[in-house]
Amino acid sequence: MSTPQSKSKVQKKPPTNIFAGLNRDTFDYFDPSEYMKKFKKGISSQLIAAISKDKDEPEWMLHQRFKAYEYFTRIPMPDFGPGLEALDFDEICFFAKAADKKGGYENWEQVPAYIKNTFDRLGIPEAEKKVLAGVGAQYESEVVYHSLEKELATQGVLFLDMDVAVHRHPELVQKYFMKCVPANDHKFAALHGAVWSGGTFLYVPKGVKIEKPLQAYFRMNAMNMGQFEHTLIIIEEGAEAHYIEGCSAPKYGSNALHAGCVEIFVGKSAKFRYSSVENWSKDTYNLNTKRAIVEESATMEWVGGNMGSGVTMLYPCSILKGRNARADHLGIAFANSGQIQDTGAKIFHLGENTSSRLTMKSISKGGGRSIYRGDLRIAKSAKNAMSQVECDALILDPVSISDTYPNIKVDNNSATISHEARVGRLNEEDIFYLTSRGIPQAQAEAMIVNGFINPIVRELPLEYAVEMNRLIELEMENSIG
Amino acid sequence: MNEFRLPFIIEYPDKDDFIIAKCYETKQECYKLTIPTGKQLEKAIHIKFRASDTPLSLSLGIELQEGSSAVIIEDWSGDIKVPEINFVNHITCQANSNLTYVVLNGNSHQTKMTEKRVSNIASDAKCHIFTYHFGNKKLTSRLIQKTSGKGAEINTDIIAKVTDDRDLSFDCTHEFAEKQGSGEIVMKGIAQGSAMLNFDGLVNIKKTGGGSAGYLKQETLNLSPDTTVRAVPALKIDTNDVKAGHSAAIRNLNEEDLYYFGTRGIEKETAKKLLITGFLEKELKKIKKHKTAYEEVRKLI
């Protein structure tokens, strides 16, 4: 949609739309990475010991890392989804530091200029000033900046670099760390457990309600980088929060790997929303694991956009453990040329009267392949569980592909489950209507695609909805590399 | 003709309307029924299987030659007691032919059965397969319908009722390999007792299948707290000029409906039976015009 109209439209957007001016250069720009000379590629037990030593970790964490590494060597690659044969672990750098400041700087002015410039281009400091209650920024393997509004800190909210949390709050971390996603869950959970570095620790005490969202942004800069940030979120009884994650990396034409892990514990009657806009470069294998355990009467909401990566395998999971627990999953996946977006959701109903709703929209273009993979299970104990799943797929040309693989398993007769999916192309009548009113075809198509994803985008805060729409526009223009 | 003993009885008034032959190309006992070019059979061919004390391994081919049409009933109901059945069914519908194929499976609840059914449907031909499963201790059913010519229409209705500790598993694929194909898979089940019921369905529109429309519907009534029900309604779409979709629903009988019947003096068990019949009614109506098949299915229900 590279029309003069669209460009002028972007330029006219009010300045509060922080992310409206994103373009290809924003993501593809990379800083010099001289620091990489100090770090080797490949994974070994020596590397794991070195990571732990560098972080001055307690003994239990080192033990946990070695246990995870043992699982990694034993567990086979996934036997479903996209082929991962081209992913060469010997060619990935599993740990690298661009700056050496434990826990990150507390002021953007202290962050080395070349790193700060990258985050400036991505709009993170500006978003922090205008719409966020706290920000974490990770560059390669470690966090370079972290902040939290003082008022929230005085209420007992903890929003820290994960490495720092291990030292400052060892009891809390040890109680929850990799208890939701155990290291033997699958190969990439094991890999993550062995080499994790950086990430976010968020603790919201009982009854505290955070109105503004908190954000963490993860940036890979160097070639063949691997990023393995760990996000651990504990929302205590009756508390409420919204956390946003963003991520990106430049394109080098050589593989990168992201195998992060998100663990969320939503306490009784608490409410938590996790939003993410993933825009890794198309060199990247995004093999991320995200899971939440939801207690009695609590609500977990997932809002996700997967635009980047060459191969994505990502299925956010809600375990509805307590009575009346609820989960909402909203997701968008855009598979452009050369991309496989294998995304979906897992929802396990364990408690009585639990309910879930899943809405997934996918778009395939230029030979891209989008796959919805769902796993919905209703346990015998989940009496009167209800679940509603809707998947819509748009295929924009004859060479693109859309697959849908939902798995539904029900072990009791009081559950009510419904699932619907539709696949099709853009409605020609809609395009005709718009073009007959003078709108160029490409722009008309982009408008229809934006309308298609609108039910999900509108769940994001305005600035991030603008970012998501802009990313879709860039994909429609083929401008993201 | 018929110089061999068939493992089934064919009921049809004029046996010159079709050809039944034994085939020797497979290790499995094999027969082939052919409807000649242009033959339009008005009455249904009713194939009734015999009881057997020994395991049965059998292949049955059906071929409708160009422009022919037929209704064929494959009947495993009645007092059919076979310990184990391995059944293969190949259907070929040549251009412009029209087949309605009805499977009535009401055999013993002790019988273990594996069946594989494959169809190839040519240009502008139609094949509608109805399978009704009320029998078997354990059933593994694989059914694949493929369009092999432009404008072919393939439809499959699978209706199953499973009770006690029985285990029925269905895997049905519609593959659209040629342009402007159309059709629907309907899988409807009723599960009771500690039974297991698996519905795997797939609509696969190939790159060469532009202009095709495929739909998949799965519905299960889950009537007992000890049942396990699994549904996988999958789509694999390799081109954009398509209409495709699926829906799946798993639920119990609606309490409000039962209450409605109750307030009108209808006992709960009777109300349940009525609601179950209603659940299946739409699919039953599809074969109402084929009187023999319709009456046999009603008997099974």
Side-chain angles (χ1 to χ4, degrees):
Chain A
M1 209 187 65
S2 56
T3 60
Q5 289 92 329
S6 66
K7 280 182 183 164
S8 62
K9 187 181 158 196
V10 168
Q11 284 158 3
K12 279 179 192 169
K13 278 180 181 164
T16 48
N17 286 343
I18 303 157
F19 306 113
L22 292 175
N23 58 47
R24 181 191 174 111
D25 294 340
T26 312
F27 302 105
D28 271 2
Y29 183 89
F30 58 88
D31 301 306
S33 48
E34 288 296 308
Y35 52 86
M36 291 301 286
K37 288 177 184 166
K38 291 186 277 181
F39 302 97
K40 286 182 184 168
K41 291 178 180 176
I43 183 168
S44 63
S45 49
Q46 289 86 347
L47 171 78
I48 290 157
I51 294 172
S52 190
K53 189 178 175 193
D54 185 83
K55 295 176 186 298
D56 192 21
E57 285 178 347
E59 188 66 26
W60 67 266
M61 182 58 84
L62 177 64
H63 176 75
Q64 210 159 313
R65 284 182 184 274
F66 278 130
K67 191 77 191 156
Y69 182 57
E70 187 194 327
Y71 289 133
F72 172 70
T73 57
R74 283 210 317 250
I75 298 174
M77 293 291 251
D79 59 359
F80 64 92
L84 302 176
E85 303 79 20
L87 175 58
D88 184 353
F89 291 118
D90 294 333
E91 283 302 313
I92 298 291
C93 178
F94 287 83
F95 182 74
K97 294 196 293 184
D100 203 357
K101 175 77 173 91
K102 297 283 177 224
Y105 298 94
E106 289 171 1
N107 187 323
W108 279 111
E109 299 314 315
Q110 296 169 315
V111 176
Y114 68 96
I115 298 177
K116 181 179 176 288
N117 290 343
T118 297
F119 287 105
D120 277 339
R121 274 192 296 274
L122 293 164
I124 305 304
E126 196 185 345
E128 180 186 11
K129 280 183 221 155
K130 290 179 176 164
V131 292
L132 299 170
V135 164
Q138 179 159 339
Y139 194 83
E140 311 296 26
S141 297
E142 295 208 328
V143 170
V144 291
Y145 174 81
H146 230 283
S147 74
L148 176 68
E149 283 183 352
K150 278 183 186 161
E151 192 188 330
L152 292 173
T154 55
Q155 288 180 64
V157 174
L158 304 172
F159 184 56
L160 301 166
D161 167 10
M162 192 64 214
D163 291 329
V164 172
V166 171
H167 290 284
R168 289 197 200 155
H169 303 282
E171 303 83 15
L172 262 180
V173 174
Q174 197 167 4
K175 183 178 172 189
Y176 291 102
F177 185 84
M178 294 205 84
K179 297 293 191 292
C180 183
V181 181
N184 59 358
D185 207 65
H186 58 82
K187 185 145 188 109
F188 291 93
L191 174 66
H192 174 90
V195 297
W196 77 271
S197 180
T200 301
F201 177 76
L202 171 63
Y203 174 81
V204 185
K206 186 175 175 179
V208 174
K209 294 180 181 176
I210 304 177
E211 285 177 13
K212 287 199 279 184
L214 300 150
Q215 186 184 12
Y217 199 95
F218 300 96
R219 173 76 179 171
M220 282 197 276
N221 175 60
M223 191 172 171
N224 297 128
M225 194 56 209
Q227 200 171 64
F228 308 93
E229 83 285 353
H230 193 92
T231 301
L232 177 58
I233 294 168
I234 302 154
I235 310 296
E236 294 281 23
E237 186 176 337
E240 288 182 16
H242 180 188
Y243 171 77
I244 302 171
E245 270 190 5
C247 40
S248 65
K251 187 178 179 185
Y252 288 100
S254 185
N255 290 338
L257 171 62
H258 176 243
C261 180
V262 177
E263 299 186 283
I264 302 170
F265 296 85
V266 191
K268 186 177 173 184
S269 304
K271 187 175 178 187
F272 184 67
R273 174 174 284 197
Y274 173 97
S275 303
S276 65
V277 182
E278 303 220 21
N279 189 36
W280 298 111
S281 78
K282 287 167 190 173
D283 298 331
T284 307
Y285 284 85
N286 182 26
L287 311 172
N288 215 354
T289 308
K290 299 181 181 184
R291 193 172 296 165
I293 296 177
V294 191
E295 301 289 348
E296 186 180 335
S297 302
T299 301
M300 175 69 214
E301 297 171 342
W302 301 91
V303 183
N306 289 290
M307 252 63 72
S309 308
V311 173
T312 299
M313 292 177 81
L314 175 59
Y315 324 99
C317 171
S318 296
I319 299 171
L320 301 175
K321 187 180 161 197
R323 282 171 61 93
N324 303 317
R326 174 175 174 80
D328 268 0
H329 289 242
L330 301 170
I332 300 168
F334 198 121
N336 214 325
S337 176
Q339 286 183 280
I340 304 176
Q341 294 281 8
D342 196 326
T343 62
K346 296 178 181 181
I347 305 172
F348 299 126
H349 289 254
L350 306 181
E352 286 184 19
N353 302 321
T354 47
S355 59
S356 62
R357 184 174 62 110
L358 189 150
T359 308
M360 186 78 198
K361 306 256 182 188
S362 73
I363 301 151
S364 307
K365 178 173 180 274
R369 179 178 204 146
S370 64
I371 301 163
Y372 167 77
R373 200 179 295 277
D375 194 354
L376 172 64
R377 298 191 197 188
I378 313 291
K380 209 169 186 54
S381 53
K383 297 211 167 30
N384 303 313
M386 291 184 79
S387 180
Q388 187 188 352
V389 179
E390 273 186 56
C391 307
D392 291 330
L394 267 185
I395 310 181
L396 300 184
D397 52 51
V399 292
S400 301
I401 294 171
S402 170
D403 299 339
T404 311
Y405 301 115
N407 182 27
I408 304 165
K409 187 168 182 281
V410 179
D411 281 324
N412 81 59
N413 66 330
S414 57
T416 304
I417 310 299
S418 71
H419 176 109
E420 266 189 78
R422 287 168 292 270
V423 180
R425 60 178 175 176
L426 292 174
N427 188 328
E428 281 176 7
E429 282 179 23
D430 294 344
I431 294 171
F432 177 75
Y433 178 88
L434 292 170
T435 51
S436 67
R437 275 144 186 84
I439 296 168
Q441 171 130 354
Q443 193 178 348
E445 287 178 4
M447 285 170 76
I448 295 167
V449 168
N450 270 335
F452 173 72
I453 60 165
N454 188 49
I456 293 164
V457 171
R458 72 180 176 212
E459 296 297 324
L460 289 166
L462 178 65
E463 289 72 16
Y464 295 89
V466 171
E467 181 187 7
M468 188 86 95
N469 278 333
R470 181 65 190 134
L471 290 173
I472 296 284
E473 280 178 9
L474 290 171
E475 290 295 339
M476 292 298 288
E477 293 168 10
N478 275 336
S479 331
I480 293 185
Chain B
M1 201 179 76
N2 287 10
E3 289 166 0
F4 40 84
R5 187 180 187 274
L6 291 166
F8 43 78
I9 299 161
I10 299 180
E11 288 182 355
Y12 186 78
D14 185 354
K15 290 188 180 162
D16 290 336
D17 281 352
F18 57 86
I19 302 154
I20 181 91
K22 188 163 185 171
C23 341
Y24 296 93
E25 56 264 33
T26 59
K27 284 181 187 172
Q28 204 173 23
E29 188 177 357
C30 173
Y31 301 90
K32 185 174 177 186
L33 190 152
T34 304
I35 313 294
T37 303
K39 201 83 180 172
Q40 309 270 326
L41 306 188
E42 285 179 10
K43 293 201 167 175
I45 300 173
H46 198 151
I47 302 170
K48 290 184 165 179
F49 285 83
R50 302 172 196 270
S52 166
D53 294 333
T54 53
L56 182 67
S57 182
L58 187 68
S59 174
L60 177 63
I62 305 287
E63 182 176 4
L64 265 72
Q65 294 185 341
E66 201 169 333
S68 63
S69 78
V71 177
I72 297 173
I73 303 169
E74 178 196 303
D75 190 349
W76 299 87
S77 59
D79 191 22
I80 305 293
K81 285 181 184 161
V82 185
E84 202 166 331
I85 301 169
N86 179 10
F87 185 70
V88 177
N89 180 207
H90 284 281
I91 294 172
T92 307
C93 288
Q94 292 184 6
N96 297 304
S97 61
N98 186 351
L99 173 66
T100 300
Y101 195 84
V102 183
V103 179
L104 303 174
N105 183 335
N107 61 26
S108 158
H109 286 187
Q110 299 310 313
T111 302
K112 290 180 181 172
M113 184 168 184
T114 303
E115 62 173 25
K116 184 175 181 186
R117 301 175 189 277
V118 179
S119 81
N120 268 293
I121 312 304
S123 301
D124 297 316
K126 292 179 184 175
C127 177
H128 197 145
I129 300 177
F130 297 87
T131 73
Y132 298 91
H133 296 267
F134 296 85
N136 296 129
K137 170 78 177 167
K138 183 174 172 62
L139 172 72
T140 306
S141 172
R142 177 92 179 101
L143 195 157
I144 307 163
Q145 290 221 65
K146 296 178 189 174
T147 65
S148 56
K150 188 180 167 186
E153 187 181 324
I154 49 180
N155 287 288
T156 305
D157 286 40
I158 295 172
I159 311 295
K161 186 180 175 194
V162 57
T163 55
D164 307 317
D165 61 346
R166 293 160 56 217
D167 178 357
L168 304 191
S169 191
F170 299 89
D171 187 346
C172 178
T173 297
H174 274 188
E175 190 177 298
F176 297 90
E178 296 293 335
K179 289 189 187 306
Q180 290 161 13
S182 63
E184 184 180 33
I185 301 173
V186 176
M187 304 172 100
K188 275 198 169 185
I190 300 163
Q192 280 178 298
S194 55
M196 286 189 73
L197 181 60
N198 275 311
F199 279 154
D200 279 85
L202 170 66
V203 172
N204 182 3
I205 303 182
K206 303 270 189 186
K207 225 169 239 339
T208 49
S212 294
Y215 198 79
L216 163 63
K217 186 165 105 178
Q218 297 178 334
E219 275 186 77
T220 306
L221 273 185
N222 194 1
L223 300 179
S224 156
D226 297 321
T227 49
T228 297
V229 172
R230 195 175 144 263
V232 183
L235 299 174
K236 193 169 185 312
I237 311 297
D238 295 345
T239 190
N240 72 327
D241 181 18
V242 300
K243 281 183 188 164
H246 68 214
S247 65
I250 300 171
R251 59 184 171 86
N252 200 337
L253 293 173
N254 189 330
E255 284 296 328
E256 281 179 25
D257 292 343
L258 290 171
Y259 176 78
Y260 178 88
F261 277 108
T263 58
R264 275 143 188 86
I266 297 167
E267 284 180 15
K268 199 167 182 179
E269 284 310 306
T270 311
K272 277 185 180 179
K273 278 181 192 166
L274 287 168
L275 287 170
I276 290 168
T277 309
F279 174 72
L280 299 176
E281 194 59 34
K282 192 179 165 197
E283 274 58 50
L284 287 181
K285 274 185 183 164
K286 290 183 193 171
I287 58 162
K288 205 166 183 175
K289 63 182 177 183
H290 309 298
K291 205 176 164 195
T292 317
Y294 180 72
E295 282 168 5
E296 291 293 333
V297 172
R298 288 219 79 99
K299 264 192 251 168
L300 277 177
I301 293 172

